[in-house]
Amino acid sequence: MVSFFLLTFLPAQSQDNDRLEKTAHKKFKSWENPFPQWQNMGKPKLDSLKVDKKEEKITFYFGQAISYYPFREDTYNIFIESVKKSLGRKFKSYLIEPVTSGYSLKQLIPNYYRVQIPIDQSRVQPVKTDRPVLVKKENSFQPSNGLLGNSVALWHSHGYYFEMNLDRWEWQRARLFGTVEDISVMSYVQPYLTKMLENAGAGVFLPRERDTQINEVIVDNDKSTGNSEVVIHLNNNVKTLNEGFLLSDTIFPGINPFKCGTSLQILNDSALYIPEITENGYYAVYISFPMKAENSKSVKYVVLHTGGKTTFSVNQTIGGGTWVYLGTFNFKSGKNPGTGAVIVKGKPGMNEYIAIDAVKFGGGMGNVARKPSEGTVKNQQSAVGNQPVRIERDMADKSLFTWKLSGKARFLEAARYYLQYAGMPDTLIFSPTMYRNDYNDDYMSRGLWVNYLMGNPWSTTGKGLGIPIDVSFGFHTDAGITPNDSVIGTLAIYSTGADNGKFPDGTSRMASRDLSDIIQTQVVDDIRSVFDKDWTRRGLWDKPYAEARRPNVPATLLELLSHQNLADQKYGLDPRFRFEVSRSIYKGILKYQAYVENRKYVVQPVQVTNFALIPKSGKKIELTWEPGVDNLEPSSKPDKYKLYKRIGDNGFDNGVIVNSTSAGVELDSYNTIYSFKVTALNEGGESFDSEILAVGIIQDENDPVLVVNCFDRISGPAWFDENNMAGVAWWNDRGVPDHYEISGVGDQYDFKRNSPWLDDDSPGWGASYGDMEGKVIPGNSFDYPYIHGKAIMAAGHSFYSVSDEYFVSEKNNGSDYKTFDLIIGEEKSSPFFNDTSRIDFRIYTADFMKKISSLTEQGANIFMSGAYVGTDLFSTGDSTAIKFAGKYLHFFPRTGHAVKRGAVYTTDYVKPVLGGTLNFNTGYSGEIYSVEAPDAIEPDGKVALCALRYSETNASAGVIYNGINKTFVMGFPFETINSDVERNLLMKQILDFFNK
């Protein structure tokens, strides 16, 4: 009976299941995707399903597309209900189990977003109780709820590389819209994201050079740059080690510069590294040392710079045999042991070994040489006889090809070259092609570099450096064009397939999906909140890309936007967008890491505002400010502040912490300019710097000038889009970089939308020149009160300075001053991206006009200079501002783009009050921003006169007024005058006129 029962029952059940599966398949065809907002990521496709009648369960096997969706508990439930609805009453009681790519759909929900669903402990990394830290900055603020003690490996795009087949250096992408993908992402990573992570307490490691300083000075026990030197108190405790860095002009294949020299081990001793600095400026400082088990874990490195001295504690048992970044500091040219040196020493009383090798100042120029390897040059014609070039196996014919350097600053080059220069092993920096394919070597090396930083068991390339990396993040932009100028949007890529889906510590590689989802969600949500409510969220891809697959820690590869798409690049070239996106990525990493470590997080504050320096008595001043507000992050409120001071043209000091929004300061001396900046602090970290205000007091001088910094603008370039022509209107407005721009390549020259892409050398629409590659383009330094103040003091007057927010506020009545210097710079009304109802950086606001009206009616003198002082009068849309300018500033606008060249002369109308000629910057300068569109302005009223004319057109460049009060207005910024002598003379003449 039992045998008969089995033979008859099982087939019947199977047949019943078959019928149910066919019914379910048929019913599911009526299913409608409940997530139209996600359908651009890919349409879910059902591959098969399986019905278990006994368990009343249906397992749906979907294609990979559904895994691209960022599921949460609520959207997962909506999805399940939509499937049940399509199946109808017959399957109402059945459990629905969707599966894709080997995972239950429920598993795709990140732990971070789970409330009801149990946490997947397999993707929670073990908490590392013993976390050695490579570098600690002593006496610095410690953000306890930021990323203190965490380490992040971070890189940006590809970089300049050598193409073997073409025997040339080139970019991985085409030059488009004034930039190239290989370096455009650097404008997020270098000035913003890296600093945000470091301000939160993290150690940040980059496989590309971070310093844009093209000068490089090496100080080493073997060989140094110029007259640089290492000074050691020689005794019997100095031991030479047969491994260390060796300075070389050119590095060839197979050469590891950290294996070519020697280094030293000292006991109870110290060393002084004195560089001969090439020219004044900021230089990144890197140290190196041989990594030994007996080394001290707390070696002191004291950097002496023009702002004072900054001390670091370095753990020399990890991170050796490469360049270790300490910080970026200001140095003066030449040898200056007191303000330009690095001291290395141990802790007093500790009988520990110290290892020393080279110290590097500045980023420098690329010095890794390349030429084609065997068989890599194809279909190239020789110069003689038009015969194909043949590469011999042993490269015996040396006349065919020569070694080539990139000729670029090192920060432009791909990671593959920096990693070789930084001492990484050959097995890491080149692929099995044996130096035949630098492009592959570059992107494949980055994940291996992450693992090598950690060492065993994470690395397969040797012992490694013992640095506990928490996460890695690769930052790129993608290709693609939309015909309707909608944004391509943001894609995130992770990888789970390697090593049976586990990291070496046993953690599930699904942790990478969690990290990717958190970061992508943060980025897209913030962009939609601040910039574009329709910003496209693309998928979450589980793909075996090397940059996502090779790191043995949770890793994300982010494709932020399309560098080929006009709608995307309108955002991508704007520093405000870059800042917010970088802050979003930082917040995503912070939230992920805090969750993994089961601790609370606090987001670092944003910049302070309403900054002012207020006179008290003698050399005493009061500094006041207000906290900035981040409406996206409630936890970002500051609870402390840090006040930094600079003397003259030196660097800033290390700052002092204050607990309120004001601080009383007594200056050290008269007749010296002091500059100040403020940051906000909380348990999550430190904000970015405020604008810089300056003060200079001359003893017993009773007619000080108030300098008002009205130049707040940072923005991308102007754009145009008319008929079939579109692109960057660089001739109209190049935009204003935030401090500086490092990703420019040159001006766009192809504006035809229908110009076809033929090759990266002929990319069609958006094609741009390459003449600006590697040049650091100055923008708004937020430091112009210092330039104006120098000229004011040279004219014999004291000065104080305030922000424009403070200037127009009720706190400022202006009674302490008779003369005001308004820095307008390149401030002008700028529509906020696609929201034309919002205008930022308007000069003639109601509060501004009210304040100026009040001051001038009280007899105050006004000096105002800026590139758009006339043009911006039309921004209000009515005649209010124009009438105001005529009545109180005594000029009216004539034209923008008044001249191409910045030569100016004084008119006969104003002799002998003014005299002479001057020049201001209208082209590229490494010192000051370019004025591409200065204004011509005309006098308004009988006692207003044309004081300055542009030499190129004789149009009026400046207007002077001598009435109840006095005014002087210029259509170009005072700070862009090229010569200190010319600036000083003009300022003296203006102030003398005001005081007659």
Side-chain angles (χ1 to χ4, degrees):
M1 289 291 294
V2 174
S3 299
F4 176 78
F5 176 80
L6 290 173
L7 290 171
T8 55
F9 176 78
L10 289 177
Q13 181 177 345
S14 177
Q15 291 172 9
D16 196 18
N17 274 349
D18 287 344
R19 285 194 297 270
L20 287 171
E21 286 176 6
K22 289 179 181 179
T23 301
H25 260 298
K26 185 177 180 180
K27 292 279 189 181
F28 185 77
K29 288 181 179 179
S30 65
W31 176 77
E32 294 182 3
N33 189 345
F35 308 118
Q37 73 274 23
W38 292 346
Q39 289 185 27
N40 65 291
M41 301 178 190
K43 295 183 178 180
K45 181 181 178 182
L46 181 64
D47 291 338
S48 63
L49 60 81
K50 182 179 179 180
V51 176
D52 187 331
K53 183 179 179 182
K54 182 178 179 181
E55 298 292 334
E56 290 195 326
K57 176 181 177 181
I58 306 177
T59 304
F60 287 81
Y61 298 94
F62 286 92
Q64 192 177 40
I66 200 171
S67 71
Y68 302 163
Y69 289 11
F71 278 102
R72 305 289 183 263
E73 289 182 347
D74 58 343
T75 50
Y76 175 80
N77 292 333
I78 291 171
F79 175 78
I80 295 299
E81 289 303 313
S82 71
V83 173
K84 282 190 173 184
K85 181 179 179 182
S86 70
L87 297 177
R89 295 172 59 89
K90 188 176 186 68
F91 299 98
K92 184 177 180 180
S93 62
Y94 276 66
L95 174 68
I96 305 301
E97 181 69 26
V99 175
T100 179
S101 302
Y103 295 100
S104 165
L105 202 61
K106 193 180 295 185
Q107 287 180 274
L108 301 184
I109 302 172
N111 281 336
Y112 181 83
Y113 296 110
R114 296 186 183 188
V115 178
Q116 302 296 329
I117 299 174
I119 298 302
D120 180 1
Q121 294 294 337
S122 72
R123 61 225 253 184
V124 179
Q125 296 163 276
V127 177
K128 302 179 180 69
T129 55
D130 182 19
R131 296 182 57 86
V133 177
L134 179 57
V135 176
K136 293 180 181 177
K137 186 176 180 181
E138 295 197 343
N139 301 316
S140 64
F141 178 71
Q142 303 292 300
S144 56
N145 288 316
L147 290 167
L148 188 64
N150 294 123
S151 296
V152 178
L154 170 66
W155 58 83
H156 46 281
S157 193
H158 295 266
Y160 209 57
Y161 79 102
F162 189 77
E163 173 52 66
M164 300 289 184
N165 288 324
L166 299 177
D167 185 33
R168 72 172 189 178
W169 289 82
E170 66 179 27
W171 297 113
Q172 183 255 355
R173 299 286 192 183
R175 299 175 178 91
L176 295 170
F177 301 120
T179 187
V180 63
E181 195 250 7
D182 301 66
I183 54 173
S184 65
V185 187
M186 187 186 307
S187 291
Y188 298 79
V189 170
Q190 195 260 22
Y192 296 127
L193 180 55
T194 298
K195 186 174 181 180
M196 290 170 182
L197 293 168
E198 290 175 339
N199 282 2
V204 181
F205 298 86
L206 295 95
R208 292 179 65 177
E209 174 60 62
R210 68 164 71 198
D211 192 9
T212 59
Q213 172 63 255
I214 64 171
N215 295 305
E216 179 185 54
V217 179
I218 300 292
V219 191
D220 189 20
N221 60 288
D222 290 315
K223 181 182 177 182
S224 299
T225 304
N227 293 315
S228 304
E229 61 178 326
V230 183
V231 180
I232 303 172
H233 175 62
L234 294 176
N235 57 36
N236 294 327
N237 293 321
V238 177
K239 178 182 177 182
T240 300
L241 304 176
N242 293 323
E243 188 172 295
F245 181 82
L246 183 65
L247 175 62
S248 175
D249 291 335
T250 306
I251 298 176
F252 297 99
I255 299 298
N256 182 337
F258 280 87
K259 302 290 185 183
C260 297
T262 66
S263 55
L264 302 175
Q265 191 178 60
I266 59 179
L267 182 66
N268 300 327
D269 212 333
S270 63
L272 176 64
Y273 288 78
I274 308 172
E276 183 180 33
I277 295 295
T278 310
E279 60 183 340
N280 295 352
Y282 282 87
Y283 292 74
V285 175
Y286 299 85
I287 61 171
S288 65
F289 52 87
M291 188 170 65
K292 301 290 182 182
E294 65 268 25
N295 287 351
S296 171
K297 293 183 179 180
S298 56
V299 179
K300 303 294 181 187
Y301 283 83
V302 183
V303 181
L304 307 177
H305 51 95
T306 62
K309 63 180 181 179
T310 306
T311 303
F312 300 87
S313 177
V314 177
N315 182 348
Q316 288 196 344
T317 66
I318 61 174
T322 187
W323 295 120
V324 176
Y325 174 74
L326 294 183
T328 299
F329 305 94
N330 182 269
F331 300 102
K332 294 292 176 66
S333 64
K335 292 179 70 175
N336 304 283
T339 58
V342 173
I343 301 171
V344 189
K345 59 184 179 180
K347 274 188 176 180
M350 300 295 289
N351 192 32
E352 294 180 322
Y353 284 104
I354 299 172
I356 60 174
D357 194 7
V359 174
K360 182 168 96 82
F361 298 79
M365 302 292 290
N367 66 339
V368 175
R370 311 298 292 126
K371 70 176 181 178
S373 299
E374 175 192 349
T376 57
V377 175
K378 302 174 182 177
N379 301 320
Q380 302 297 309
Q381 303 299 312
S382 66
V384 180
N386 200 33
Q387 295 299 312
V389 173
R390 183 164 61 92
I391 306 299
E392 300 295 339
R393 179 175 297 276
D394 61 356
M395 295 291 287
D397 189 350
K398 303 296 184 183
S399 65
L400 284 177
F401 298 101
T402 58
W403 293 105
K404 297 174 178 65
L405 300 178
S406 72
K408 301 285 189 184
R410 187 174 284 121
F411 76 88
L412 299 180
E413 291 186 344
R416 177 250 175 275
Y417 310 105
Y418 179 76
L419 292 179
Q420 182 175 357
Y421 180 64
M424 297 298 104
D426 273 357
T427 50
L428 183 154
I429 60 174
F430 70 81
S431 68
T433 63
M434 294 295 291
Y435 289 102
R436 293 194 190 104
N437 190 325
D438 283 10
Y439 174 77
N440 286 355
D441 289 351
D442 177 56
Y443 73 78
M444 293 172 69
S445 68
R446 301 173 188 219
L448 297 178
W449 162 76
V450 174
N451 301 337
Y452 184 76
L453 290 177
M454 294 186 288
N456 294 330
W458 291 270
S459 177
T460 59
T461 55
K463 180 182 177 182
L465 302 184
I467 301 169
I469 302 297
D470 292 291
V471 297
S472 78
F473 181 76
F475 197 167
H476 294 258
T477 58
D478 207 351
I481 297 174
T482 57
N484 60 350
D485 274 344
S486 59
V487 294
I488 296 289
T490 301
L491 169 72
I493 301 169
Y494 63 99
S495 182
T496 63
D499 302 317
N500 297 315
K502 293 183 178 181
F503 294 119
D505 64 0
T507 304
S508 168
R509 288 183 178 265
M510 282 294 287
S512 290
R513 180 179 173 104
D514 284 15
L515 174 66
S516 301
D517 195 345
I518 292 169
I519 291 175
Q520 186 192 33
T521 298
Q522 189 74 62
V523 168
V524 173
D525 285 354
D526 287 354
I527 291 175
R528 288 176 177 174
S529 296
V530 178
F531 299 102
D532 183 350
K533 63 181 178 61
D534 297 319
W535 187 265
T536 304
R537 177 168 186 161
R538 298 171 66 192
L540 281 159
W541 287 4
D542 188 348
K543 303 283 187 180
Y545 288 25
E547 293 173 79
R549 172 176 55 84
R550 289 195 165 195
N552 280 327
V553 294
T556 295
L557 177 60
L558 188 76
E559 301 279 6
L560 174 66
L561 48 74
S562 170
H563 52 265
Q564 289 183 254
N565 197 51
L566 181 66
D568 291 69
Q569 281 295 67
K570 285 180 179 178
Y571 295 95
L573 293 181
D574 195 293
R576 293 168 293 175
F577 182 82
R578 292 170 178 173
F579 175 89
E580 290 294 344
V581 166
S582 300
R583 186 167 167 87
S584 298
I585 296 168
Y586 140 70
K587 289 189 293 186
I589 293 173
L590 170 67
K591 292 175 181 180
Y592 170 82
Q593 199 59 40
Y595 179 84
V596 167
E597 296 176 5
N598 193 29
R599 59 178 174 82
K600 66 177 289 189
Y601 70 84
V602 173
V603 175
Q604 63 192 221
V606 293
Q607 293 154 294
V608 304
T609 186
N610 288 70
F611 191 21
L613 304 186
I614 303 169
K616 288 302 180 182
S617 62
K619 295 180 292 182
K620 294 180 180 180
I621 61 170
E622 183 181 17
L623 295 88
T624 69
W625 57 87
E626 294 180 9
V629 177
D630 181 358
N631 293 320
L632 299 179
E633 287 294 336
S635 74
S636 67
K637 294 179 181 178
D639 46 41
K640 296 177 183 177
Y641 301 89
K642 201 168 189 181
L643 177 63
Y644 295 87
K645 182 177 73 174
R646 179 181 70 194
I647 302 174
D649 62 352
N650 293 316
F652 279 92
D653 63 12
N654 295 315
V656 293
I657 294 177
V658 295
N659 294 316
S660 65
T661 56
S662 64
V665 174
E666 182 168 7
L667 306 180
D668 297 329
S669 62
Y670 291 105
N671 305 308
T672 301
I673 298 179
Y674 295 87
S675 302
F676 297 89
K677 62 182 181 180
V678 177
T679 60
L681 307 174
N682 64 16
E683 292 180 351
E686 184 172 9
S687 75
F688 276 33
D689 301 340
S690 69
E691 62 192 294
I692 299 171
L693 297 182
V695 57
I697 303 175
I698 300 174
Q699 190 170 14
D700 299 327
E701 196 277 319
N702 297 314
D703 194 12
V705 176
L706 183 65
V707 178
V708 183
N709 184 29
C710 302
F711 184 15
D712 301 316
R713 180 177 170 231
I714 55 171
S715 69
W719 296 82
F720 81 101
D721 192 352
E722 299 173 2
N723 300 319
N724 190 42
M725 304 287 285
V728 181
W730 48 265
W731 56 90
N732 185 33
D733 181 7
R734 294 185 182 277
V736 182
D738 185 355
H739 289 81
Y740 54 83
E741 174 64 74
I742 55 177
S743 64
V745 297
D747 291 332
Q748 180 181 347
Y749 62 82
D750 190 327
F751 298 93
K752 295 181 180 178
R753 279 185 173 272
N754 59 4
S755 290
W757 181 93
L758 301 177
D759 179 86
D760 279 356
D761 289 338
S762 180
W765 179 46
S768 304
Y769 294 109
D771 59 301
M772 297 301 291
E773 291 171 3
K775 293 182 178 178
V776 179
I777 302 170
N780 190 345
S781 70
F782 300 92
D783 195 13
Y784 302 117
Y786 173 74
I787 297 178
H788 284 238
K790 278 200 303 182
I792 292 169
M793 288 197 76
H797 294 268
S798 302
F799 78 97
Y800 301 83
S801 55
V802 298
S803 66
D804 56 339
E805 296 89 357
Y806 179 87
F807 173 69
V808 301
S809 70
E810 295 297 326
K811 296 179 181 179
N812 172 42
N813 59 22
S815 60
D816 293 325
Y817 308 96
K818 190 173 84 173
T819 298
F820 296 83
D821 175 2
L822 308 183
I823 302 173
I824 306 298
E826 287 200 310
E827 194 84 349
K828 77 168 182 177
S829 298
S830 305
F832 188 77
F833 299 94
N834 292 329
D835 184 3
T836 55
S837 66
R838 173 180 168 182
I839 303 297
D840 287 347
F841 311 120
R842 179 172 281 158
I843 299 173
Y844 301 101
T845 64
D847 288 340
F848 178 83
M849 292 189 287
K850 179 181 177 182
K851 181 64 68 173
I852 296 298
S853 302
S854 172
L855 291 174
T856 54
E857 287 171 354
Q858 296 171 31
N861 304 316
I862 305 293
F863 170 41
M864 187 169 91
S865 66
Y868 303 108
V869 294
T871 301
D872 213 52
L873 289 168
F874 297 105
S875 67
T876 58
D878 59 34
S879 59
T880 303
I882 296 176
K883 290 178 179 178
F884 158 81
K887 182 176 181 180
Y888 296 103
L889 297 173
H890 309 286
F891 78 93
F892 66 88
R894 176 64 74 198
T895 184
H897 299 275
V899 288
K900 183 74 172 177
R901 300 187 305 275
V904 176
Y905 66 91
T906 53
T907 66
D908 289 344
Y909 299 127
V910 293
K911 289 182 178 179
V913 173
L914 296 180
T917 62
L918 58 88
N919 288 271
F920 65 94
N921 183 50
T922 59
Y924 173 73
S925 163
E927 303 298 324
I928 195 72
Y929 62 91
S930 170
V931 184
E932 64 270 26
D935 272 354
I937 56 176
E938 294 286 348
D940 190 338
K942 293 182 179 179
V943 290
L945 300 171
C946 173
L948 303 172
R949 292 195 184 277
Y950 296 113
S951 302
E952 182 181 322
T953 61
N954 290 325
S956 176
V959 171
I960 193 170
Y961 168 79
N962 187 4
I964 299 174
N965 71 310
K966 299 176 182 181
T967 64
F968 192 92
V969 182
M970 300 194 320
F972 60 93
F974 175 83
E975 63 272 11
T976 64
I977 297 173
N978 294 323
S979 162
D980 283 347
V981 173
E982 292 174 354
R983 280 198 302 271
N984 290 348
L985 176 59
L986 178 61
M987 182 65 78
K988 178 171 175 51
Q989 291 174 337
I990 293 170
L991 295 181
D992 286 349
F993 162 67
F994 283 169
N995 287 286
K996 282 184 179 179

